[in-house]
């Protein structure tokens, strides 16, 4: 008569290994998983604030108004009123902090033509000119004031 | 599950600095009928987010769709549309042509988040799909999984990078840089939870479509005026 459960030693060894690995895993993840993981979901909660804290470069048209009120007024009545200041003058947050750092001022025809060059893919009601036919070589701002 | 039931949710570990994340669900509208393909959005995005200036690294870009008489559709996007588009020379075979700005669709069911093996990309509580660059291992699974091609591997940081809807701006009450720079109000942005926000008005006023609706990703970039050819 043999007891089927007598020869149990090899199962025991296996169970000990499994338990040790499981405890090792639980202890290791206590050290390796950041504290804020799972705060909001399966990610580091601190990553949300890190994404919020990245540096700004565009200041927004409202901050231009504080100093350039006259320009802001004429612009807000002009045909270019949907075009924000920094669309043409580039990112200007540094200028709001230190007025000595000047934002860019687009010169010549090339910048105006980015929007206003004739192109069949543009919406038909958008004002466009043929750059070769419309006073070639002349600076747009000589006739057209972009702020009015 | 494997959080082992630690009461982490009771501890406010992350200080959101007064930003009420629960009251926001960010949405974005693109009115294709207004886009002139000037590429100011692409430029603004690259400046604001320090996106590498080499071609083919974009968080947002502009495509030109050209439909021809022989049922052919061509799509081009020279340097992501950053320097504008030259006019089409051969207009004989042309039926129509228009510009479509593209970017991350900030899906409600984002495939990129599903495949991330380390929890480095996630959908925040206000609906923006973000990347944790400190946790990303650069395996590129998310780049493969994105059906909109909106992700790229940052060539210097060697981590996945993508549009964040300018999370650092919108949480301070500013607009994303691309919306700020758009001269024709093609791009509309706002809080979907506020009935009077520009995006809620946009959705009420326009006929809205999303890209690849059959995939069930439920994008939060809402298009108005796109053709069936746009994918």
């Amino acid at each position: 008569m043999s007891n089927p459960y007598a020869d149990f030693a090899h199962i025991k060894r296996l169970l000990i290994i499994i338990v040790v690995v499981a405890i090792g895993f639980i202890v290791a993840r206590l050290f390796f998983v950041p504290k804020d993981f799972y705060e909001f979901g399966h990610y580091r909660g601190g990553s949300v604030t890190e994404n919020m804290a990245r540096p700004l470069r565009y200041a927004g048209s409202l901050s231009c108004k504080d100093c350039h009120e006259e320009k802001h007024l004429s612009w807000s009545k002009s045909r270019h009123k949907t075009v924000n200041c920094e669309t043409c003058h580039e990112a200007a947050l540094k200028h709001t902090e230190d007025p000595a750092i000047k934002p860019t001022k687009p010169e010549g025809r090339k910048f105006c033509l980015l929007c206003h060059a004739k192109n069949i893919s543009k919406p038909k009601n958008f004002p466009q000119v043929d750059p070769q036919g419309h006073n070639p070589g002349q600076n747009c701002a000589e006739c057209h004031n972009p702020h009015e | 599950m494997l959080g082992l039931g630690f009461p982490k949710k009771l501890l406010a570990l992350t200080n959101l600095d007064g930003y009420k994340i629960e009251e926001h669900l960010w949405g974005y509208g693109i009115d294709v009928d207004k886009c002139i393909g000037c590429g100011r959005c692409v430029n603004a995005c690259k400046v604001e987010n320090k996106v590498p200036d080499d071609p083919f690294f974009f968080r947002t870009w502009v495509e030109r769709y050209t439909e021809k008489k022989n049922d052919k559709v061509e799509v081009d996007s020279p340097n992501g549309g950053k320097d504008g588009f030259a006019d089409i020379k051969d207009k004989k075979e042309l039926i129509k042509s228009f510009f479509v700005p593209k970017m991350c669709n900030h899906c409600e069911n984002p495939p990129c988040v599903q495949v991330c093996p380390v929890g480095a990309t996630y959908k925040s509580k206000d609906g923006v799909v973000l990347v944790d660059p400190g946790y990303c291992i650069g395996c590129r699974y998310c780049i493969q999984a994105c059906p909109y091609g909106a992700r790229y591997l940052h060539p210097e940081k060697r981590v996945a990078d993508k549009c964040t809807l300018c999370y650092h701006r919108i949480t301070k009450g500013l607009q994303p840089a691309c919306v700020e720079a758009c001269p024709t109000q093609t791009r509309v942005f706002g809080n979907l939870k506020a009935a009077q926000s520009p995006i809620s008005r946009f959705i009420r006023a326009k006929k809205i479509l999303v890209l690849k609706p059959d995939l069930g990703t439920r994008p939060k970039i809402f298009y108005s005026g796109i053709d069936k050819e746009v994918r």
Side-chain angles (χ1 to χ4, degrees):
Chain A
M1 263 226 340
S2 64
N3 184 354
Y5 302 106
D7 195 13
F8 201 52
H10 67 292
I11 302 284
K12 237 189 217 166
R13 284 199 294 274
L14 191 65
L15 280 174
I16 287 167
I17 290 168
I18 288 171
V19 167
V20 167
V21 168
I23 289 171
F25 176 76
I26 289 165
V27 172
R29 76 182 297 289
L30 277 180
F31 285 103
F32 289 124
V33 176
K35 278 208 175 64
D36 52 353
F37 212 83
Y38 292 110
E39 191 186 357
F40 303 121
H42 185 77
Y43 58 93
R44 248 172 11 94
S47 159
V48 177
T49 42
E50 281 164 29
N51 269 299
M52 281 166 74
R54 281 169 34 236
L56 298 156
R57 286 186 181 79
Y58 278 78
S61 280
L62 275 177
S63 51
C64 307
K65 196 185 167 190
D66 295 343
C67 302
H68 305 281
E69 203 165 337
E70 234 169 81
K71 272 267 152 63
H72 194 276
L73 193 73
S74 73
W75 161 78
S76 61
K77 289 173 187 162
S78 72
R79 289 183 76 188
H80 272 149
K81 63 176 177 282
T82 61
V83 187
N84 284 322
C85 308
E86 286 160 303
T87 306
C88 305
H89 296 292
E90 291 276 337
L93 188 81
K94 280 199 178 132
H95 172 68
T96 63
E97 287 160 356
D98 177 9
I101 303 167
K102 297 287 177 203
T104 58
K105 185 182 168 191
E107 305 272 0
R109 289 166 74 86
K110 210 182 155 197
F111 188 80
C112 304
L113 289 173
L114 266 178
C115 293
H116 292 293
K118 204 169 192 310
N119 191 321
I120 198 155
S121 312
K122 285 178 187 173
K124 284 204 175 57
N125 56 2
F126 186 79
Q128 301 161 50
V129 295
D130 177 9
Q132 271 80 50
H134 187 87
N135 306 320
Q138 213 168 344
N139 206 336
C140 306
E142 281 172 34
C143 305
H144 309 279
N145 182 346
H147 292 131
E148 271 168 19
Chain B
M1 189 182 73
L2 281 170
L4 296 176
F6 291 132
K8 281 170 185 163
K9 271 175 193 155
L10 301 175
L11 303 163
L13 291 164
T14 303
N15 177 17
L16 294 172
D17 206 16
Y19 169 61
K20 289 180 178 120
I21 199 163
E22 313 271 356
E23 288 174 17
H24 295 94
L25 184 68
W26 298 113
Y28 196 107
I30 295 175
D31 192 345
V32 168
D33 289 336
K34 288 182 179 169
C35 184
I36 56 169
C38 63
R40 295 305 83 207
C41 46
V42 184
N43 181 58
C45 178
K46 287 216 171 194
V47 171
E48 178 75 23
N49 298 303
K50 279 198 166 172
V51 177
D53 212 25
D54 322 325
F56 307 116
F57 298 115
F58 299 102
R59 288 182 176 201
T60 183
W61 66 100
V62 182
E63 290 174 358
R64 171 167 60 189
Y65 279 73
T66 310
E67 291 173 29
K68 301 205 165 158
K69 276 178 188 156
N70 52 4
D71 258 3
K72 259 194 185 162
V73 181
E74 281 172 17
V75 185
D76 67 333
S77 182
N79 196 15
K82 191 183 166 204
D83 313 314
F85 291 79
D87 202 1
I88 296 166
K89 284 193 184 102
D90 180 26
K91 297 188 178 93
K92 268 186 191 165
E93 294 295 303
L94 193 70
I95 295 176
K96 61 176 163 182
S97 174
F98 50 92
F99 299 110
V100 184
K102 294 265 181 90
M103 57 196 279
C104 167
N105 277 262
H106 294 279
C107 310
E108 271 301 292
N109 299 322
C112 52
V113 173
Q114 273 183 40
V115 299
C116 180
V118 293
T121 189
Y122 55 92
K123 191 182 77 186
S124 68
K125 285 196 163 181
D126 45 7
V128 183
V129 178
L130 295 171
V131 177
D132 180 351
Y135 229 59
C136 176
I137 55 170
C139 72
R140 303 180 176 97
Y141 281 171
C142 55
I143 300 171
Q144 288 275 311
C146 178
Y148 306 102
R151 289 171 166 260
Y152 64 94
L153 195 83
H154 196 289
E156 283 133 43
K157 296 185 208 159
R158 309 302 292 170
V159 294
D161 200 42
K162 67 179 283 295
C163 163
T164 62
L165 283 181
C166 284
Y167 203 66
H168 55 304
R169 298 178 63 81
I170 60 176
T171 50
K172 294 182 183 74
L174 294 162
Q175 289 184 316
C178 49
V179 179
E180 185 69 33
C182 179
T184 59
Q185 298 181 321
T186 298
R187 291 169 177 261
V188 182
F189 174 77
N191 184 2
L192 292 166
K193 284 188 179 169
Q196 292 308 319
S197 69
I199 184 64
S200 300
R201 286 161 181 263
F202 180 80
I203 290 170
R204 279 202 297 278
K206 304 271 183 182
K207 305 276 187 292
I208 296 295
L209 283 166
V210 294
L211 298 181
K212 301 184 183 177
D214 47 313
L215 297 179
T217 51
R218 294 173 60 213
K220 286 197 290 295
I221 308 292
F222 302 99
Y223 282 87
S224 164
I226 50 172
D227 243 35
K228 71 177 195 314
E229 275 78 11
V230 180
R231 288 149 304 195

